[in-house]
Amino acid sequence: MRPTPLKPNRYDLLALAFILVLLALFLEASREAAAPFTPAELSLDPRHLPGYALRTAFRMGVALLLSLAFTLVYAPLAAKTRLEPFLVSLLDILQSVPVLGFLAATAGAFAALFPGRALGLELSAIFAVFTSQAWNMAFSFYQSLKTLPKDLLEVAALYRFTPWQRFLRLELPFALPGLVWNGMMSMSGGWFFVVASEAIAVGKTQVELPGIGAYLATAIAKQDGHAVLMAVGSMLLVILLYDQLFFRPLVAWSQRFKYEERPGPPPPRSWVLDLLSRSRVVRKVAGALFSLALEALLAPERRLAPKPRALPLWPLALPLLLLGAMGAWALWRQAAPLGLGEVGRVFLLGFFTLLRVLGVLALAALVWVPVGILLGSRPSLAQRVQAFLQVLAAFPANLLYPPLAYAIVHRHLSLEVFSAFLMVLGTQWYILFNAVAGSLALPQDLKEAARSFGLRGLPLWRRLLLPGTFPYLVTGLITASGGTWNASIVAEVVQWGNTTWQATGLGSYITFWTLREGQGPHLLLGIAVMSLYVAVLNRLLWRRLYRLAEERFRL
């Protein structure tokens, strides 16, 4: 019997036009990123904003894809190998290193790789955005791998899944709902630092890449309120486009992998996903490509023995230990001339910032954990406010710092205390997004069982909602902690025009020496002390909570 020919329909034409437009925009942005670089003053003419928005959206998208690739490699290594303590500690340190620190270390190196071309500076900006996105996603995937339901693990063992089969058919699908919501949070967190990544100011290096972030930095420096509003409007438009074209389809698709023993409510809808699913040609081609990719990934394992030998870890551990020893030696060489007095002063500044960080986390958790859980328990409402949450999370909170700091100073309030409220503006969303993701992941049968037992009010929160979302809440608190340390760099130093306010803390210390010396012993000492504080806090508090989530609160 001859196969029925595949006939395109009207949805195929719409899907083809949609894909071609996205491809054309991607090619245009990548062409400009690879062009020769000619330093020029950024124009505040609104006619340039569409081009700037395209360049910024391109950098954000590439950084998110790199963050996803990093997550899919790093998190399984951290969760499944004997290097787990080292890799998790390294992830703690990496998320504590400020974006300004990564810019100071990589801006010159990337520019030297491609002299005279914009590609080196583009890579530097993309890497800076990557460092504000990757750690959150890696922690989310790590948490999902450590809290896989035991019955699913038993089924995988019963059917003798190979490592690749277990990853592709069990681990990745189980982690998808939380990973997508943390991807949205990572994208929003990247907007928080897009100004620093595009308006590169490290020591004597002053480079402005065409983009919304650099446009916004120029508008703030020139105190042009109209240009600031135009930049914020362009940023919100890009966020809405990302939500409609990318994240909303992903959220609707990922809810199909929600872990439940019985069907729950219908998954949320997305017009993009509906368009692609109704397109016969796109669906056929996508299915064929997916089958080929899956076959290519699983084929090498089928040629292996049923029980492959464990990979020796010393070839990986030895270089990492050597690298750590070299880093410690370099830090000692740089910091030794500063003297013990300077080292002690920096540790004291770190203690002040630590108090602000803990206060911010307690305040944000008290407010946003109940809101996120209640929002996640109503999936239709969560979908309707999804774009609004992304806008709130992505809004550059540093725009609010000058008027708030001005009000604090002129009302004779202490910036030493109220800088904590500036820090919470950019980091509270990590807790909210993870609370929503955890609440959405609760199986419907558990909710029905709670209703049948008459659980309401405080008993419902104590017996189901808080324990069921606990692993996600721990992930949110860990990533919020790292984000709050980073936010201290921009919250403890506030500038509007020629007026600057500073609070006593490690963040203001790092900002001061970043602008003064670019790469030097003071900046290196500040970053090292901040990393040490974060690593110790994670070891004493967050790691124990992770272990509690793995042992007592997994589904």
Side-chain angles (χ1 to χ4, degrees), residues 253-298:
W253 177 70
S254 66
Q255 287 302 304
R256 301 177 181 181
F257 302 99
K258 181 179 176 182
Y259 173 67
E260 290 186 314
E261 294 186 1
R262 53 195 297 181
R269 301 287 297 273
S270 163
W271 65 269
V272 173
L273 193 61
D274 290 342
L275 172 64
L276 297 178
S277 62
R278 292 172 182 174
S279 169
R280 296 172 184 169
V281 175
V282 171
R283 187 172 55 185
K284 189 74 173 179
V285 171
L289 292 177
F290 179 79
S291 299
L292 290 175
L294 193 63
E295 181 68 22
L297 289 173
L298 295 178

Side-chain angles (χ1 to χ4, degrees), residues 476-537:
L477 287 170
I478 290 177
T479 52
S481 174
T484 307
W485 282 99
N486 264 294
S488 68
I489 297 171
V490 291
E492 293 180 351
V493 177
V494 179
Q495 183 176 358
W496 180 256
N498 297 323
T499 306
T500 302
W501 298 278
Q502 291 189 18
T504 304
L506 192 54
S508 60
Y509 180 89
I510 291 176
T511 300
F512 175 80
W513 287 107
T514 297
L515 299 176
R516 181 167 181 175
E517 65 182 14
Q519 298 177 355
H522 294 88
L523 176 61
L524 184 61
L525 177 62
I527 293 174
V529 170
M530 180 175 286
S531 301
L532 182 61
Y533 265 106
V534 173
V536 171
L537 183 63

